[in-house]
């Protein structure tokens, strides 16, 4: 028994030891398996971190959205060992798909609809997992999308259309729930990088916008003075032999009057129209800019030295001077253009612009209104600047005075009236011509005040003649600004009332060019003046480009033929024909015709034969000071009476010789 008991005990002990060893072995195996799993998870975690780090590094070098997307799609495919990766932008017009082809080149495609798997990403859900072999709705969505397996995550974003990152067709196993956080991390990194590129694009756009604004005029969208200097400097740096850099400076004649009388809104519209025409006319040949106010400049960077720059300037001038339709207004402006060229006139933008400015003011005094810089013109420019600075003082110091030139009836020789002519006797320069200081007054904004001073002084002088027994008219030249002033009639009415001069004794002389600059508005304003009883005369006719019939549709009482035709009409058959046709047409429409610049008796007689009504010129008298006019009138009347007496005596002598009895048939009146 003892032996049996021992055997049993040994058997039990052996069995017990084997069970504990098995348990121990099982524990060791379990621990090893757990350790291996942990190692695999750690290795996967390490691989994910390495992939994320590598992608982050690559993205750090990307500044363009396309580069960011390509790197993200490529990195996702490599990290998750999948064959497909896509980024979908869910736009209203239809989803836009960014994907990699077999050559790792990114393609962009507009899709008719998003893949079916995307529809599972309902509102509020940020990820969808569809492993290989998925059933029911997941499997159906995979089959409809053409994927074996897939994951979809939403990119975090606070702006723009929703963006989704899609990966599919894994080559090692299938996607699991553990892959979702990693894909979301990659999506978040992608979103950060895309936001960075967007911010960078916005920054670039803002910098470009600020640079554009710094170099462009906000009203006309043309380049400004800074861009002019830059483009001119670049053109000078690239200048080739046998080529010239040409600068044209344009100034709009009468623009200040448009601004003052029609308002700055209309002035802005005019500037925009001019800018559009310059942009269209110049095209790619040059760079049009607005320097400020009504001054524009054009840089032509590579012009042949044999090119006709005046012809180019004429094309620009014609483009600018075409009538502008501004709604209820039809306005015409003209440009004075000054031209300078490198290397002849300078080798930097500032010098070329200065020379063009000198030429531009010379252009204002020329018939063509186009001038190329000369050194002589530069001397005149210095004088012009001095005159501009002293003109206001001259008005206050009474250096400006009126002289009066008589106008006489061609048939009887009787004086009909005087034209008031402004004169300036400068203490240094001496007598300054009106053709020189009137444009300066217009540029300096003094012309309106000067015009109304002349009107008041001329009406005062008319009262002096009336008091001396001479019922004569006085003619005053009206500036282009006054012709755009809607208050002209009311201001004239007050002035006539205060002076006591009958309206029919005032003649307003307007130039053909100023009237036709805005014919409709000029006609309306002249209608108002004519309604007061004031007479309207068109001065310098024939020097513009309008038709006489168009002018005579306005309230015009008199046409004055320009002296340039009259003084040479006996030597030029062309000028004689111009004078004759003007007289005939004016007579046929019931208007008076006065010839300016009559300097001899032969011209007087020819004009009488043509049917002209009145003459003005040296044949009668030069312009004289106001205090001299009454004395001259007395002397002229005495001379006329003596001439009539001499003519009567001559007639009587002829009659005596013929009749032989010495009987007189009449006596001088």
């Amino acid at each position: 028994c003892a032996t049996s008991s021992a055997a049993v005990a040994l058997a039990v002990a052996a069995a017990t030891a084997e069970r504990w060893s098995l348990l121990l072995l099982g524990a060791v195996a379990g621990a090893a398996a757990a350790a291996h799993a942990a190692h695999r998870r750690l290795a996967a975690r390490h691989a994910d971190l390495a992939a994320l780090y590598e992608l982050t590094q690559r993205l750090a070098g990307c500044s363009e959205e396309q580069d960011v997307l390509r790197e993200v799609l490529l990195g996702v495919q490599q990290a998750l060992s999948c064959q497909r990766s896509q980024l979908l932008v869910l736009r209203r017009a239809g989803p836009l798909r960014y994907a990699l082809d077999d050559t790792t080149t990114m393609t962009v495609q507009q899709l008719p609809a998003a893949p079916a798997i995307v529809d599972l990403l309902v509102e509020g859900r940020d990820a969808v997992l569809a492993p290989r072999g998925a059933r029911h709705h997941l499997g159906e969505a995979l089959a409809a999308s053409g994927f074996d397996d897939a994951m979809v995550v939403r990119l975090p974003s606070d702006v723009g259309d929703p963006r989704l990152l899609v990966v599919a067709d894994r080559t090692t196993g299938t996607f699991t729930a553990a892959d979702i956080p990693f894909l979301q991390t990659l999506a978040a990194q992608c979103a950060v990088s895309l936001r960075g590129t967007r911010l960078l694009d916005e920054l670039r756009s803002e910098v470009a916008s600020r640079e554009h604004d710094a170099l462009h005029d906000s009203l006309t969208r043309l380049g400004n003075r800074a861009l002019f200097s830059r483009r001119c400097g670049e053109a000078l740096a690239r200048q080739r032999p046998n080529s010239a850099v040409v600068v044209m400076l344009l100034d709009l004649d009468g623009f200040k009057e448009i601004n003052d009388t029609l308002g700055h809104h209309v002035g802005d519209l005019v500037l925009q129209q001019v800018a559009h025409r310059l942009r269209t006319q110049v095209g790619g040949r040059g760079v049009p800019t607005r320097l400020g106010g009504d001054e524009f400049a054009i840089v032509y960077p590579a012009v042949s030295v044999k090119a006709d720059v005046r012809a180019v300037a004429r094309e620009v001038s014609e483009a600018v001077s075409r009538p502008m339709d501004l709604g209820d207004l039809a306005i015409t402006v003209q440009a004075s253009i000054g031209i300078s060229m490198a290397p002849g006139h300078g080798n930097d933008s500032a010098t070329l612009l200065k020379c063009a400015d000198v030429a531009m003011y010379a252009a204002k005094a020329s018939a063509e209104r186009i001038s190329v810089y000369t050194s002589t013109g530069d001397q005149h420019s210095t004088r012009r600047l001095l005159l501009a600075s002293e003109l206001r003082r001259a008005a206050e110091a009474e250096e400006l005075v009126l002289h009066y030139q008589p106008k006489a009836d061609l048939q009887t020789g009787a004086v009909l009236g005087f034209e008031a002519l402004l004169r300036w006797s400068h203490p240094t320069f001496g007598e300054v011509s009106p053709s020189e200081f009137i444009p300066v007054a217009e540029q300096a904004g003094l012309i309106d005040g000067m015009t109304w001073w002349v009107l008041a002084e001329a009406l005062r002088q008319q009262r002096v003649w009336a008091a001396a027994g001479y019922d004569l008219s006085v003619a005053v030249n009206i500036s282009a600004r006054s012709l755009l002033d809607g208050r002209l009639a009311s201001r004239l009415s007050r002035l006539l009332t205060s002076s006591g001069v009958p309206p029919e004794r005032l003649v307003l002389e307007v130039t053909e060019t100023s009237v036709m600059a805005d014919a409709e508005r000029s006609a309306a304003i002249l209608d108002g003046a004519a309604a007061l009883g004031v007479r309207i005369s068109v001065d310098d006719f024939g020097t513009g480009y309008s038709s006489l019939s168009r002018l005579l549709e306005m309230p015009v009482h008199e046409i004055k033929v320009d002296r340039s035709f009259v003084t040479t009409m006996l030597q030029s058959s062309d000028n004689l024909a111009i004078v004759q046709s003007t007289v005939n047409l004016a007579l046929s429409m019931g208007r008076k015709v006065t010839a300016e610049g009559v300097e001899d008796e032969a011209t007087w007689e020819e004009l009488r034969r043509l049917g002209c009504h009145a003459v003005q010129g040296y044949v009668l008298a030069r312009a004289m000071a106001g205090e001299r006019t009454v004395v001259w009138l007395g002397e002229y009347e005495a001379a006329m009476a003596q001439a009539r007496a001499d003519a009567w005596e001559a007639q009587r002598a002829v009659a005596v010789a013929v009749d032989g009895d010495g009987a007189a048939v009449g006596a001088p009146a």
Side-chain angles (χ1 to χ4, degrees):
C1 284
T3 305
S4 300
S5 299
V8 170
L10 287 172
V12 170
T16 302
E18 182 179 357
R19 187 179 61 189
W20 280 108
S21 65
L22 289 174
L23 289 174
L24 180 60
L25 288 174
V28 170
H36 179 67
H39 176 73
R40 287 181 60 189
R41 288 196 299 272
L42 184 62
R45 175 72 170 167
H46 178 75
D48 288 348
L49 290 175
L52 181 61
Y53 176 77
E54 183 180 353
L55 178 61
T56 303
Q57 291 296 103
R58 291 205 303 265
L59 291 179
C62 298
S63 60
E64 301 293 337
E65 182 180 82
Q66 300 285 325
D67 295 336
V68 168
L69 292 176
R70 181 183 176 281
E71 290 297 337
V72 166
L73 296 178
L74 183 61
V76 166
Q77 285 187 199
Q78 292 173 346
L80 293 173
S81 301
C82 56
Q83 294 179 330
R84 303 192 200 183
S85 60
Q86 303 174 1
L87 186 128
L88 296 174
V89 182
L90 304 184
R91 306 184 308 171
R92 288 188 177 183
L96 196 65
R97 181 179 67 186
Y98 296 85
L100 294 179
D101 62 15
D102 294 338
T103 63
T104 69
T105 299
M106 192 174 69
T107 61
V108 183
Q109 184 180 6
Q110 177 80 49
L111 299 179
I117 193 70
V118 171
D119 295 335
L120 301 177
L121 197 67
V122 296
E123 190 70 29
R125 190 174 181 183
D126 292 328
V128 169
L129 172 64
R132 186 175 286 110
R135 298 179 180 181
H136 307 304
H137 63 285
L138 287 177
E140 293 172 359
L142 281 173
S145 302
F147 298 149
D148 291 335
D149 57 357
M151 285 193 300
V152 182
V153 297
R154 190 189 308 274
L155 267 68
S157 176
D158 55 352
V159 294
D161 298 314
R163 290 176 295 184
L164 310 175
L165 188 57
V166 180
V167 293
D169 300 347
R170 196 169 198 176
T171 57
T172 57
T174 189
F175 298 112
T176 67
D179 295 318
I180 291 288
F182 178 61
L183 186 59
Q184 288 178 321
T185 302
L186 293 179
Q189 182 62 46
C190 177
V192 169
S193 297
L194 289 175
R195 185 171 184 273
T197 61
R198 191 184 79 240
L199 293 175
L200 187 58
D201 287 342
E202 291 174 358
L203 180 61
R204 288 170 179 158
S205 177
E206 183 177 355
V207 169
S209 177
R210 289 186 177 183
E211 182 178 19
H212 182 276
D213 291 344
L215 296 174
H216 288 79
D217 171 53
S218 59
L219 175 65
T220 64
R221 308 311 299 168
L222 290 181
N224 59 16
R225 187 179 292 270
L227 185 66
F228 165 83
S229 298
R230 176 181 293 187
R231 294 292 182 262
C232 190
E234 291 170 352
L236 290 169
R238 295 194 303 265
Q239 188 174 3
R240 300 186 303 272
N242 300 319
S243 71
V245 175
V246 175
V247 171
M248 292 186 185
L249 182 63
L250 291 78
D251 179 86
L252 304 182
D253 300 329
F255 178 75
K256 186 178 187 302
E257 285 70 26
I258 293 174
N259 250 354
D260 292 346
T261 57
L262 302 182
H264 289 279
H265 173 66
V266 175
D268 289 348
L269 292 177
V270 169
L271 293 174
Q272 289 171 337
Q273 285 260 14
V274 169
H276 173 71
R277 293 178 181 189
L278 290 179
R279 193 181 292 111
T280 302
Q281 179 63 38
V282 173
R285 296 178 298 166
V287 182
T289 57
R290 180 188 177 207
L291 302 184
D294 62 330
E295 277 194 344
F296 296 82
I298 306 171
V299 179
Y300 290 97
V303 179
S304 168
V305 293
K306 297 180 180 180
D308 186 353
V309 293
R310 284 183 176 272
V312 177
R314 281 193 292 271
E315 293 174 358
V316 172
S317 178
E318 290 168 2
V320 170
S321 63
R322 290 196 306 270
M324 299 179 185
D325 183 4
L326 303 179
D328 296 335
L329 295 172
I331 293 178
T332 301
V333 295
Q334 288 186 316
S336 296
I337 303 179
I339 304 170
S340 63
M341 293 176 283
H345 302 148
N347 290 302
D348 61 85
S349 61
T351 302
L352 289 174
L353 192 59
K354 174 183 177 296
C355 292
D357 184 62
V358 171
M360 186 261 291
Y361 278 97
K364 287 183 176 295
S366 69
E368 193 181 24
R369 295 184 179 272
I370 296 171
S371 179
V372 178
Y373 171 79
T374 64
S375 57
T376 304
D378 210 352
Q379 296 168 5
H380 292 322
S381 177
T382 302
R383 174 184 168 98
R384 175 179 55 79
L385 291 174
L386 290 173
L387 292 179
S389 66
E390 296 188 20
L391 190 55
R392 192 182 302 274
R393 178 200 58 78
E396 297 171 353
E398 298 184 350
E399 291 177 9
L400 298 176
V401 297
L402 285 184
H403 283 195
Y404 300 87
Q405 187 172 39
K407 179 172 70 173
D409 185 285
L410 249 177
Q411 303 302 319
T412 66
V415 176
L416 301 174
F418 287 87
E419 179 183 356
L421 301 171
L422 193 58
R423 296 289 184 262
W424 183 11
S425 180
H426 190 278
T428 302
F429 298 130
E431 296 296 327
V432 183
S433 169
S435 63
E436 184 176 11
F437 71 78
I438 292 298
V440 173
E442 291 173 341
Q443 288 294 314
L446 302 174
I447 194 65
D448 183 64
M450 289 171 58
T451 297
W452 288 95
W453 178 83
V454 170
L455 278 164
E457 180 63 18
L459 292 177
R460 184 198 65 78
Q461 184 63 48
Q462 201 280 339
R463 297 296 297 161
V464 172
W465 301 328
Y470 298 103
D471 189 16
L472 304 173
S473 66
V474 63
V476 175
N477 291 280
I478 296 298
S479 67
R481 183 190 187 283
S482 299
L483 273 178
L484 296 173
D485 188 354
R487 305 168 298 158
L488 179 64
S490 59
R491 295 174 75 180
L492 278 175
S493 179
R494 290 193 296 270
L495 186 58
L496 288 166
T497 299
S498 64
S499 68
V501 174
E504 62 272 14
R505 287 292 169 259
L506 174 62
V507 179
L508 299 183
E509 293 197 0
V510 295
T511 65
E512 176 189 3
T513 302
S514 63
V515 169
M516 299 311 296
D518 186 350
E520 291 186 8
R521 184 173 180 83
S522 297
I525 291 173
L526 291 178
D527 279 337
L532 299 173
V534 173
R535 314 289 285 177
I536 309 297
S537 175
V538 176
D539 196 14
D540 299 338
F541 181 78
T543 58
Y545 300 98
S546 62
S547 68
L548 181 57
S549 60
R550 178 69 182 92
L551 279 174
L552 295 181
E553 292 174 2
M554 299 183 181
V556 172
H557 304 93
E558 176 191 48
I559 298 293
K560 297 182 76 173
V561 185
D562 188 67
R563 61 178 291 114
S564 62
F565 303 110
V566 174
T567 54
T568 59
M569 59 182 283
L570 298 184
Q571 294 80 38
S572 169
S573 58
D574 290 339
N575 286 348
L576 178 60
I578 291 173
V579 174
Q580 184 169 9
S581 61
T582 301
V583 172
N584 291 341
L585 185 54
L587 291 176
S588 69
M589 302 186 74
R591 304 304 198 275
K592 301 286 187 181
V593 183
T594 295
E596 299 181 293
V598 182
E599 299 181 355
D600 52 61
E601 294 288 345
T603 305
W604 180 302
E605 290 302 323
E606 181 62 19
L607 289 167
R608 190 209 302 267
R609 185 188 68 80
L610 293 176
C612 197
H613 294 97
V615 294
Q616 189 176 330
Y618 295 165
V619 70
L620 277 173
R622 294 176 180 270
M624 62 195 78
E627 58 271 19
R628 168 70 180 147
T629 54
V630 174
V631 176
W632 179 86
L633 284 168
E635 294 173 349
Y636 182 78
E637 285 193 342
M640 288 289 292
Q642 183 61 51
R644 286 194 297 271
D646 292 344
W648 184 82
E649 286 294 336
Q651 183 181 6
R652 180 177 180 277
V654 170
V656 169
V658 171
D659 296 341
D661 59 1
V665 295

